Amino acid sequence: MKAVMATNNVNKLHEAQEILAPLGIEVISQREAGADIEPEENGATFAENAMIKARAVYDIVHCPVFADDSGLCVAALDGRPGVHSARYAPKGQECEKLLAEMEGVEDRRAYFECDIAYIDEKGSGTFSAACIGSIGTQARGENGFGYDPVFCYGDRTFAEMGEEEKNAVSHRGIALRKLYEVYQERYGEQDAEQ
Ligand code: IMP
């Protein structure tokens, strides 16, 4: 089956294709599907934002659509940057800003959350996944994007892991594998594997 991912972020599209292609789901971008839009993400939660994006694209393409919304929640910052993760600092400066804010803070606990919203002709839904880790004291690693160099999972940061390794444990990896289960339930194993 074919599904449209409501995103203009090529990293996310690539991650979704990597995880869902072996399961028989061809993921195409919203642009490829003819929806060249960027809806305002003004929801109060990850789930609301994911649904805003999915709905806006579905209203144009009218075929199975999913969208994710994600971010980093830091315990010592009362859950910030949370839904504002993408706007916390100028692109490329988020790690530096977070490390400065966390300087001298003992409680380093943090988690990434990823919520996915899906819509098709049968209806819609949302679900959530998380990856629990901690904030390092310095940026390490060259891979990934965003907060990857300061998010520690075990004794390495996400930026020190390969793509496959990260996908196996990450919030988005877990959420995308749940999405496959949702599609299997909705379309049956045969359709999902066509
Ligand atoms: P979204 O595109 O609205 O979901 O924004 C998510 C923001 O959270 C991104 O711009 C990143 O700053 C951050 N983020 C989400 N997932 C990850 C990840 O896997 N690694 C690093 N940063 C992430």
Side-chain angles (χ1 to χ4, degrees):
M1 67 171 285
K2 211 178 249 188
V4 177
M5 185 172 194
T7 185
N8 290 314
N9 179 328
V10 287
N11 286 301
K12 288 184 175 186
L13 183 72
H14 188 66
E15 281 189 16
Q17 286 169 333
E18 286 280 302
I19 289 172
L20 295 175
L23 305 171
I25 298 172
E26 185 193 344
V27 180
I28 63 168
S29 69
Q30 63 174 64
R31 196 162 286 145
E32 282 174 277
D36 207 356
I37 55 169
E38 196 142 356
E40 199 185 336
E41 297 176 31
N42 52 10
T45 62
F46 294 114
E48 277 179 31
N49 280 337
M51 191 52 87
I52 287 169
K53 291 185 264 190
R55 176 69 61 197
V57 172
Y58 184 76
D59 286 346
I60 296 170
V61 302
H62 301 292
C63 66
V65 172
F66 68 93
D68 84 323
D69 196 64
S70 54
L72 178 67
C73 302
V74 180
L77 304 180
D78 295 324
R80 281 193 303 115
V83 289
H84 304 296
S85 293
R87 289 155 276 164
Y88 172 69
K91 263 206 171 28
Q93 293 172 35
E94 52 277 83
C95 292
E96 209 180 315
K97 182 172 174 188
L98 184 60
L99 287 175
E101 231 193 312
M102 291 292 286
E103 191 161 349
V105 175
E106 229 173 87
D107 180 0
R108 314 293 296 187
R109 290 172 303 149
Y111 64 89
F112 273 122
E113 179 168 333
C114 176
D115 286 29
I116 286 185
Y118 57 91
I119 310 182
D120 57 24
E121 78 284 357
K122 299 180 189 190
S124 64
T126 58
F127 56 84
S128 174
C131 177
I132 296 170
S134 62
I135 304 301
T137 51
Q138 60 185 52
R140 290 195 330 245
E142 303 296 326
N143 304 329
F145 68 101
Y147 301 89
D148 279 350
V150 294
F151 185 78
C152 300
Y153 185 84
D155 54 7
R156 283 183 301 162
T157 67
F158 266 1
E160 292 176 307
M161 292 181 167
E163 197 176 352
E164 256 181 58
E165 265 181 306
K166 178 184 166 186
N167 284 345
V169 297
S170 78
H171 49 310
R172 197 167 304 100
I174 296 166
L176 286 167
R177 287 188 289 275
K178 275 194 198 177
L179 179 67
Y180 174 66
E181 284 170 24
V182 168
Y183 279 150
Q184 268 197 325
E185 265 172 39
R186 293 169 89 73
Y187 295 102
E189 206 155 313
Q190 273 194 329
D191 281 356
E193 283 175 3
Q194 265 169 22

